[in-house]
């Protein structure tokens, strides 16, 4: 069975997923066969060269024309194009893999989750960091109870690409196009990671107290710098949360964290032990187990560690792009087998509810519940 794939979006995420699709036949030979049928975008010239580079047979500027031709739509466009094409595809029985966050707004995310629950097709959201071997190993240890009662989760996602006030404006800086800034772009990953690691032992996030901050409120649209556009989203956020179990959480993200490039970290403290993970050292996990005097660092590169047997011998590290290979393998298998995939659009909606609550808490200056 060959799956015909349509991909909307051909820049950063388009390349990450096209690379993953190209790796599957060599490293995951039991993966479904994929035909990169059509690449979808607005700029015809850029689309043609991207189709050549990413290996797509056809191109179109009309996503509605692509839906009847494919088995799966990858929605990798900016956040403001997540809702309509995904809902239309699911309504037509076409499976959808959508980049995070699910939508710019809670209402958009609700529409997408409703369409997924009413469709016979498979829908997944691309929270790729769930598919790191070290993260899956960590989840197993937590779910086994090896850390005891979970008291705290501490998640930070720090970048520094907007520190320069002359860094150019982009869709990620527009509330209309993105919904939010660091909160939805980076905080969504942290909230999903916490749900993935703690969901079985701490339940859902129930209350939040958050703040958003914008440091530079307009930016140049090009190198000339004479035209500027307003920044209408947060450059950084922080939040305190409480889980159903009573576990407490602190979350933050920034695009102004000088010295941090793509520093996605999470730490879990339990009554019997702790663990710490950093994306900048993604082959490692720091563990504190009963009796240890301090954290020990272990490599998660053994053949029986998740996905490692598909790659290299112990200690031959994998990279950021391998997370996309793993999630594509699992999603395409779910489509072939007509089986549920996680993270689902329901998972994406759960994250969106927390994002929305943090924004409401910031507006009101008080703790709020999840709606
Ligand atoms: C932001 O720069 C970004 O590209 C996010 O949008 C991605 O989700 C994250 O994986 C890397 O950083």
């Amino acid at each position: 069975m060959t799956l015909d794939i349509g991909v909307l979006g051909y820049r950063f995420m388009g390349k990450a997923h096209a690379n993953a699709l190209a790796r599957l036949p060599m490293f995951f030979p039991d993966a479904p066969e994929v035909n990169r049928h059509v690449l979808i975008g607005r700029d015809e010239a850029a689309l043609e060269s991207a189709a050549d580079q990413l290996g797509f047979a056809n191109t179109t500027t009309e996503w509605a024309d692509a839906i009847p031709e494919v088995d799966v739509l990858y929605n990798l466009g900016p956040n403001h194009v997540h809702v309509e094409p995904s809902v239309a595809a699911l309504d037509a029985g076409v499976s959808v893999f959508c980049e995070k966050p699910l939508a710019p707004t809670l209402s958009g995310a609700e529409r997408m989750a409703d369409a997924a629950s009413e469709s016979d097709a498979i829908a997944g959201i691309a929270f790729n960091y769930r598919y790191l071997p070290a993260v899956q190993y960590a989840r197993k240890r937590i779910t086994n109870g090896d850390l005891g009662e979970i008291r705290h989760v501490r998640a930070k996602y720090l970048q520094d690409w907007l520190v320069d006030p002359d860094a150019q404006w982009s869709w990620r800086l527009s509330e209309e196009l993105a919904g939010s800034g660091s909160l939805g772009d980076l905080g969504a990953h942290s909230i999903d990671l916490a749900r993935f690691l703690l969901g079985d032992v701490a339940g859902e996030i129930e209350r939040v107290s958050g703040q958003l901050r914008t440091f530079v409120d307009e930016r140049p649209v090009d190198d000339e710098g004479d035209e500027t556009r307003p920044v209408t989203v947060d450059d950084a956020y922080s939040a305190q949360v409480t889980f159903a179990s009573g576990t407490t959480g602190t979350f933050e993200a920034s695009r102004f964290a000088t010295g941090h490039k793509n520093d996605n970290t999470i730490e879990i403290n339990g009554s019997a032990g702790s663990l710490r993970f950093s994306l900048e050292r993604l082959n490692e996990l720091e563990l504190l187990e009963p009796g240890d005097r301090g954290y020990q660092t272990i490599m998660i590169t053994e053949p029986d560690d998740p996905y490692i047997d598909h790659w290299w011998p112990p200690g031959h590290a994998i990279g950021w792009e391998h997370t996309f290979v793993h999630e594509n393998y699992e999603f395409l298998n779910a489509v072939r087998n007509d089986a549920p995939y996680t993270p689902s659009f329901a998972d994406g909606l759960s994250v969106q509810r927390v994002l929305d609550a943090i924004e409401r808490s910031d507006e009101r200056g008080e703790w709020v519940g999840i709606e």
Side-chain angles (χ1 to χ4, degrees):
M1 170 194 186
T2 299
L3 294 173
D4 289 326
I5 303 284
V7 170
L8 191 164
Y10 50 85
R11 300 190 193 285
F12 182 14
M13 285 298 118
K15 192 182 287 187
H17 286 281
N19 173 63
L21 295 175
R23 298 279 76 70
L24 283 175
M26 182 183 292
F27 292 94
F28 293 77
D30 63 328
E33 193 173 339
V34 160
N35 168 33
R36 280 173 262 172
H37 175 66
V38 57
L39 191 62
I40 307 159
R42 287 178 310 172
D43 178 332
E44 291 198 36
L47 198 52
E48 287 304 326
S49 75
D52 291 341
Q53 183 188 12
L54 303 183
F56 283 80
N58 305 286
T59 63
T60 181
T61 57
E62 299 297 331
W63 56 261
D65 295 347
I67 287 174
E69 298 175 2
V70 299
D71 301 303
V72 186
L73 176 70
Y74 278 57
N75 195 332
L76 312 179
N79 301 350
H80 65 95
V81 297
H82 285 184
V83 179
E84 298 308 331
S86 300
V87 169
L90 289 165
D91 288 352
V94 171
S95 293
V96 175
F97 199 37
C98 185
E99 265 298 333
K100 40 53 63 183
L102 200 56
T105 62
L106 179 55
S107 59
E110 286 167 339
R111 277 191 60 203
M112 293 172 76
D114 287 348
S117 64
E118 287 153 22
S119 173
D120 294 333
I122 306 298
I125 182 170
F127 281 120
N128 59 304
Y129 298 123
R130 286 187 180 213
Y131 286 98
L132 282 153
V135 167
Q136 298 213 350
Y137 175 87
R139 183 173 188 274
K140 209 181 309 176
R141 297 300 303 271
I142 292 166
T143 308
N144 287 347
D146 296 352
L147 302 191
E149 292 293 314
I150 303 302
R151 306 296 185 213
H152 308 296
V153 53
R154 203 163 295 108
K156 295 181 282 187
Y157 202 149
L158 305 178
Q159 297 179 340
D160 67 358
W161 56 283
L162 284 181
V163 168
D164 178 354
D166 293 330
Q168 286 184 17
W169 189 92
S170 72
W171 66 264
R172 292 176 191 271
L173 307 184
S174 157
E175 181 179 15
E176 182 192 357
L177 303 180
S180 62
S182 69
L183 176 64
D185 190 25
L186 304 176
H189 277 301
S190 298
I191 293 159
D192 180 69
L193 261 190
R195 291 191 70 249
F196 179 61
L197 290 171
L198 301 180
D200 291 350
V201 296
E204 292 290 350
I205 291 171
E206 290 190 332
R207 309 171 62 234
V208 305
S209 169
Q211 68 165 327
L212 308 181
R213 184 72 71 248
T214 304
F215 299 111
V216 172
D217 53 18
E218 67 174 349
R219 289 184 176 273
V221 295
D222 55 30
D223 290 337
E224 280 63 58
D226 43 18
E227 185 194 345
T228 64
R229 280 190 195 154
V231 175
T232 52
V233 295
D234 54 289
D235 290 320
Y237 92 99
S238 61
Q240 298 179 73
V241 312
T242 303
F243 288 77
S245 66
T247 299
T248 69
T250 56
F251 291 77
E252 72 167 311
S254 178
R255 295 160 160 174
F256 278 68
T258 39
H260 297 269
K261 294 303 172 189
N262 195 27
D263 191 8
N264 181 5
T265 61
I266 191 162
E267 178 172 15
I268 311 286
N269 302 131
S271 58
S274 292
L275 60 83
R276 270 193 309 225
F277 170 79
S278 168
L279 185 62
E280 292 184 348
R281 304 176 70 89
L282 65 85
N283 291 278
E284 300 172 6
L285 189 69
E286 291 183 87
L287 268 181
L288 176 86
E289 300 188 86
D292 288 348
R293 293 186 57 179
Y295 274 107
Q296 313 286 333
T297 300
I298 61 172
M299 292 283 286
I300 310 295
T301 58
E302 295 303 308
D304 58 353
D305 287 326
Y307 303 109
I308 296 297
D309 61 332
H310 288 273
W311 297 107
W312 317 115
H316 294 62
I318 64 169
W320 177 81
E321 75 275 15
H322 293 77
T323 65
F324 290 83
V325 183
H326 303 161
E327 68 174 350
N328 272 272
Y329 173 61
E330 300 296 358
F331 179 74
L332 294 169
N333 269 315
V335 172
R336 172 174 59 187
N337 305 333
D338 192 24
Y341 172 81
T342 54
S344 66
F345 276 17
D347 290 308
L349 176 57
S350 295
V351 170
Q352 203 86 35
R353 292 194 191 286
V354 179
L355 301 177
D356 176 72
I358 291 171
E359 290 184 300
R360 285 185 287 114
S361 171
D362 174 67
E363 286 157 13
R364 297 183 198 168
E366 59 191 27
W367 280 84
V368 300
I370 304 298
E371 285 178 355

